[in-house]
């Protein structure tokens, strides 16, 4: 089967049309290294400075239990902004 056209997966500069989000910087840097760091826009690689220590609740509710889905704030807001930016580029 055929994959999606390259114009939908990559932009005119060859960068991925994707947003990578994780609470561990090591994971994000590993994905970028596998794809090629020049193929991932820095604005679309989002990670916090430290992980959640395999604690699902801390990742879901945020570092201070901010209530509601994704209450972590900084990464959640940055992810939504990066998604909006990618969407507007299409």
């Amino acid at each position: 089967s055929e994959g999606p056209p390259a114009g939908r997966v990559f932009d005119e500069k060859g960068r991925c049309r994707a947003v990578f989000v994780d609470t561990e910087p090591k994971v994000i840097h590993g994905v970028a290294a596998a794809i090629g760091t020049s193929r991932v826009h820095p604005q679309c690689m989002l990670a916090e400075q430290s992980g959640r220590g395999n604690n699902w609740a801390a990742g879901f509710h945020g570092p201070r239990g901010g209530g509601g889905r994704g209450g972590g704030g900084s990464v959640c807001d940055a992810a939504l902004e990066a998604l909006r930016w990618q969407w507007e580029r299409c």
Side-chain angles (χ1 to χ4, degrees):
S1 78
E2 290 184 30
R8 291 187 185 169
V9 178
F10 300 100
D11 66 11
E12 61 280 351
K13 294 181 180 179
R15 290 182 172 164
C16 295
R17 294 185 188 270
V19 177
F20 302 98
V21 181
D22 202 302
T23 57
E24 303 251 359
K26 184 177 9 175
V27 174
I28 299 297
H29 294 304
V31 169
I35 295 172
T37 54
S38 64
R39 299 193 80 171
V40 180
H41 195 283
Q43 180 177 335
C44 297
M45 295 185 342
L46 307 170
E48 290 188 350
Q49 294 303 315
S50 63
R52 297 288 183 212
N54 207 19
N55 184 341
W56 180 87
F60 185 79
H61 294 292
R64 293 178 187 87
R69 179 172 265 168
S74 63
V75 171
C76 183
D77 293 341
L80 290 173
E81 180 61 24
L83 286 169
R84 183 197 59 78
W85 180 73
Q86 284 285 24
W87 179 263
E88 288 177 351
R89 292 179 52 213
C90 292

